[in-house]
Amino acid sequence: SLRAWFNEQGVATVLQWYGTAELGQIAYESEAMEGMILDEDLILEIVRPGTGEPVTDGEVGDVVVTSFNAEYPMIRLGTGDLSAVMQGASPCGRTNVRIRGWMGRADQTTKVRGMFVHPGQIAEIVKRHPGIGRARLVITGEMANDAMVLRCEVGGAPEGLAARIVDTVRDVTKLRGEVELVAPGSL
């Protein structure tokens, strides 16, 4: 959707690249726009989430990358992102390994407005408010307009509980979000 928006604004060619804060660029799109080409200085593995066992080419799995950068080497960094190796060379002529691009997360971590929110953070919010039974984080929106709502199962909520949980969400995740109190057993 972001590429389409840029095209509507008059930007004819929009290419993307895939990377992490630890490694920088891992793979990039060429004008052929058929997958993403692995950076030549990296070793890529696609593994089964949870086991680390390699999957066959074309099968979706967790992206694991090794970089022998002299200043900051990373050996088998599990990104937590899902992708798959594509067969053959890119139509643009590049011959290095290609991946299908970012296909989701291998865990329950999610990205909201460019920041990761981890399951442990939601557990911390719940821990700080003993009246919460279960909680579920719901992310909606697209193109940098993410909305985050934490649905909390609470029976007989005291006055102001939702506002206190909103403050805790901001403290723990560093993001603004809404809180919806729901009946026990509804999640």
Side-chain angles (χ1 to χ4, degrees):
S1 63
L2 185 56
R3 185 189 324 254
W5 181 85
F6 275 115
N7 291 150
E8 290 167 9
Q9 306 312 306
V11 180
T13 304
V14 178
L15 303 175
Q16 60 182 331
W17 63 270
Y18 163 64
T20 66
E22 299 87 358
L23 292 169
Q25 179 178 287
I26 293 172
Y28 56 92
E29 213 170 30
S30 72
E31 289 195 24
M33 296 175 69
E34 287 191 24
M36 302 182 98
I37 302 161
L38 181 69
D39 184 283
E40 289 79 8
D41 295 329
L42 302 174
I43 297 171
L44 173 94
E45 299 172 80
I46 305 289
V47 302
R48 193 167 320 306
T51 69
E53 294 295 319
V55 300
T56 59
D57 285 357
E59 189 175 345
V60 175
D62 191 358
V63 175
V64 175
V65 182
T66 295
S67 167
F68 295 112
N69 179 313
E71 289 83 35
Y72 197 62
M74 298 295 284
I75 310 299
R76 297 201 79 228
L77 172 71
T79 64
D81 294 327
L82 296 174
S83 194
V85 170
M86 297 176 69
Q87 293 292 320
S90 172
C92 74
R94 300 302 307 258
T95 59
N96 205 15
V97 173
R98 289 182 302 147
I99 60 173
R100 288 177 47 194
W102 188 83
M103 299 175 67
R105 293 289 300 169
D107 57 20
Q108 292 184 347
T109 300
T110 189
K111 198 178 252 187
V112 181
R113 295 186 293 275
M115 301 272 295
F116 282 111
V117 178
H118 302 276
Q121 291 174 297
I122 304 308
E124 176 62 25
I125 294 164
V126 170
K127 183 176 157 187
R128 292 186 188 185
H129 300 276
I132 300 174
R134 290 181 173 181
R136 176 178 295 151
L137 186 65
V138 178
I139 311 300
T140 57
E142 58 182 56
M143 248 192 49
N145 289 318
D146 298 331
M148 180 170 79
V149 177
L150 184 64
R151 294 188 178 139
C152 302
E153 287 186 356
V154 178
E159 182 75 27
L161 177 62
R164 289 193 299 277
I165 297 171
V166 165
D167 290 343
T168 304
V169 166
R170 176 95 185 211
D171 180 54
V172 172
T173 67
K174 309 303 182 220
L175 293 162
R176 287 182 315 278
E178 297 178 31
V179 170
E180 183 180 318
L181 302 180
V182 298
S186 63
L187 296 179

